[in-house]
Amino acid sequence: MSTPTRTVFRGSSGELVGKLELPSDAPTAWALFAHCFTCGKDNSAAGRISRALASRGVAVLRFDFTGLGESDGDFAATGFSSNVEDLVCAANHLRDQFSAPAVLVGHSLGGAAVLAAAPQIPEVRGVVTIGAPADPFHVVGMLGDVTPVVESGEATVSIGGRPFRVRRQFLDDIAMQPQRERISTLDAALLVMHAPTDQIVSVDNARIIFDTARHPKSFVALDGADHLLSDRADAEYAANVLAAWASKYVSNPTTTAEPITDDPAEGAVRVAESGPGRLTQQISARRHRLTADEPRPVGDDAGPTPYDLLLAALGACTSMTVRMYADRKQWPLERIVVDSRHFRIHAKDCDECETATGMVDRIERDITLIGPLDADQRAKLLDIADRCPVHRTLRSEVSIHTAEAPRQRLT
């Protein structure tokens, strides 16, 4: 087994720093490890479990969440949602550089985070929680008296003997997490590991997670271990069980049949099959990653459909165009909401259509303008909405040229 490799990638708000634990031979699978609250990638449990998994053929990326360890950002400005976003960014990094993670492993609050991130990483086949709370709000108990946070908006709390600044937004964020719904709809195998004598996160949390989740699911008691798995033997036992369990669901790394290793050309958007689902597509647009799919039973419902994305493009462009105009005019527009629907109608039912027979596509777009605008301002903004570039593209004559890409790009 080689020495951990340092890796840097873009996170939710700045660069994140991680370590890759690689097996001596080609990995049988790739995993992503989420550390406990205020810990880090160099936490002893994270290191021991990652190294033990690597020794059994599973490559692991462990990294510091935003504002912790070597990663960029201000911890006080982060929250549970930013941790989830960091995990998705880490998965994108693995997908781009190596292979998408098939297994997510989370320790303590990191366990709650991987449960929340799993639906956004379509290649995930298995999720493992170690000493995880059933609800992220459990972490409030570690903050002691949070009254100063609520009253002043920010306070310094001591966690594990170290001072951390926590803002009210952090508490608001974790209070709004639909964790039970996420667990009940998890579309991956689940392994719940918990010490019966855990003094930080009661084992009752494991029972709630296990009872809420659908099959396939398993529970393993880490008898005699503490919350941080500070004993090497406990960490290695957890890794042994974890690796054996994962082998049932992941036989080899998830890759595309013909991986495309270069970046898309400037201004281009790339769509490629991502592997786990028959129709699942991975979309690369600059540094951003999206997933497209079709609903079950045709697809795996791992992401929005192509028409969903078309409506999203129109809605986003509409909202941006209206916002820029309102700001330029200094009008009191507080918020814009755009709801769009696509369907097909008979041409004879479309008064403004030139086509007289057959079916035509129709998009209905409802725009909600929030703010103390007068009638003239509202009418003008609705007129501006029709001038958004995507709207104009959809209404104009479009030429689409199709050609086979040079084969040397597919290596």
Side-chain angles (χ1 to χ4, degrees):
M1 187 170 58
S2 61
T3 302
T5 302
R6 189 175 188 271
T7 184
V8 179
F9 56 94
R10 184 74 184 177
S12 60
S13 57
E15 289 189 338
L16 301 179
V17 178
K19 286 183 177 179
L20 283 169
E21 297 282 356
L22 302 174
S24 54
D25 298 322
T28 58
W30 286 77
L32 187 56
F33 188 100
H35 61 71
C36 57
F37 182 56
T38 71
C39 296
K41 68 181 185 305
D42 297 318
N43 168 264
S44 60
R48 287 169 181 168
I49 291 176
S50 297
R51 287 189 293 272
L53 285 172
S55 70
R56 290 156 182 81
V58 179
V60 184
L61 169 61
R62 50 189 169 102
F63 68 96
D64 293 323
F65 282 122
T66 298
L68 293 171
E70 298 180 84
S71 292
D72 290 345
D74 178 11
F75 177 81
T78 66
F80 185 77
S81 294
S82 68
N83 287 351
V84 174
E85 188 177 347
D86 284 346
L87 279 168
V88 174
C89 290
N92 291 340
H93 173 66
L94 284 181
R95 184 185 297 108
D96 292 343
Q97 300 298 321
F98 306 100
S99 183
V103 178
L104 302 181
V105 184
H107 183 200
S108 193
L109 190 63
V114 296
L115 287 168
Q120 302 180 56
I121 308 172
E123 300 88 348
V124 169
R125 301 283 306 281
V127 175
V128 182
T129 65
I130 304 172
D135 189 321
F137 200 74
H138 178 278
V139 76
V140 172
M142 300 177 61
L143 303 182
D145 185 4
V146 297
T147 301
V149 181
V150 176
E151 291 180 350
S152 67
E154 182 174 324
T156 299
V157 298
S158 178
I159 303 174
R162 294 181 296 162
F164 291 91
R165 288 186 302 120
V166 177
R167 293 176 182 167
R168 178 173 180 173
Q169 293 91 318
F170 174 85
L171 302 179
D172 293 341
D173 180 46
I174 57 176
M176 296 172 58
Q177 299 299 322
Q179 197 71 353
R180 184 176 290 271
E181 178 182 349
R182 289 165 172 160
I183 297 170
S184 66
T185 58
L186 180 66
D187 191 20
L190 174 65
L191 173 61
V192 180
M193 310 181 81
H194 214 110
T197 54
D198 192 325
Q199 298 298 306
I200 305 299
V201 180
S202 166
V203 72
D204 288 340
N205 287 268
R207 177 185 56 78
I208 295 172
I209 295 173
F210 186 83
D211 289 346
T212 304
R214 301 179 297 188
H215 284 289
K217 57 184 177 180
S218 305
F219 172 76
V220 172
L222 301 176
D223 192 27
D226 59 19
H227 180 70
L228 294 177
L229 299 182
S230 53
D231 189 301
R232 180 187 298 273
D234 292 327
E236 292 183 350
Y237 170 74
N240 283 336
V241 173
L242 197 164
W245 174 87
S247 66
K248 180 176 178 61
Y249 302 100
V250 183
S251 58
N252 50 57
T254 301
T255 58
T256 59
E258 292 183 309
I260 301 176
T261 57
D262 63 332
D263 292 327
E266 183 69 26
V269 174
R270 172 169 292 162
V271 179
E273 291 184 320
S274 62
R278 188 172 68 91
L279 298 178
T280 306
Q281 307 293 317
Q282 186 63 45
I283 304 169
S284 301
R286 296 183 293 115
R287 66 177 183 86
H288 305 288
R289 299 294 181 268
L290 301 88
T291 301
D293 206 340
E294 288 288 345
R296 292 185 175 91
V298 177
D300 293 285
D301 203 20
T305 69
Y307 274 106
D308 291 338
L309 293 170
L310 176 67
L311 295 177
L314 176 62
C317 182
T318 299
S319 182
M320 292 174 183
T321 302
V322 171
R323 167 55 62 195
M324 287 189 292
Y325 186 87
D327 287 353
R328 188 164 60 249
K329 291 290 187 178
Q330 296 185 334
W331 288 353
L333 176 61
E334 297 173 359
R335 190 181 178 209
I336 311 157
V337 179
V338 181
D339 294 308
S340 303
R341 292 166 296 281
H342 168 266
F343 48 94
R344 291 176 63 80
I345 62 174
H346 291 284
K348 61 182 177 62
D349 297 327
C350 180
D351 296 334
E352 71 271 20
C353 295
E354 296 179 2
T355 303
T357 61
M359 305 292 290
V360 295
D361 289 282
R362 182 180 185 88
I363 293 176
E364 290 187 350
R365 177 179 53 182
D366 296 332
I367 303 174
T368 302
L369 303 173
I370 301 173
L373 300 159
D374 60 36
D376 290 340
Q377 290 172 332
R378 291 179 181 276
K380 184 60 178 178
L381 291 178
L382 290 179
D383 177 62
I384 292 297
D386 286 341
R387 304 183 193 180
C388 95
V390 172
H391 180 110
R392 291 183 172 183
T393 298
L394 290 173
R395 294 299 303 269
S396 67
E397 182 177 358
V398 178
S399 172
I400 301 177
H401 175 70
T402 302
E404 183 177 5
R407 294 185 62 82
Q408 58 264 30
R409 283 179 53 198
L410 304 180
T411 57

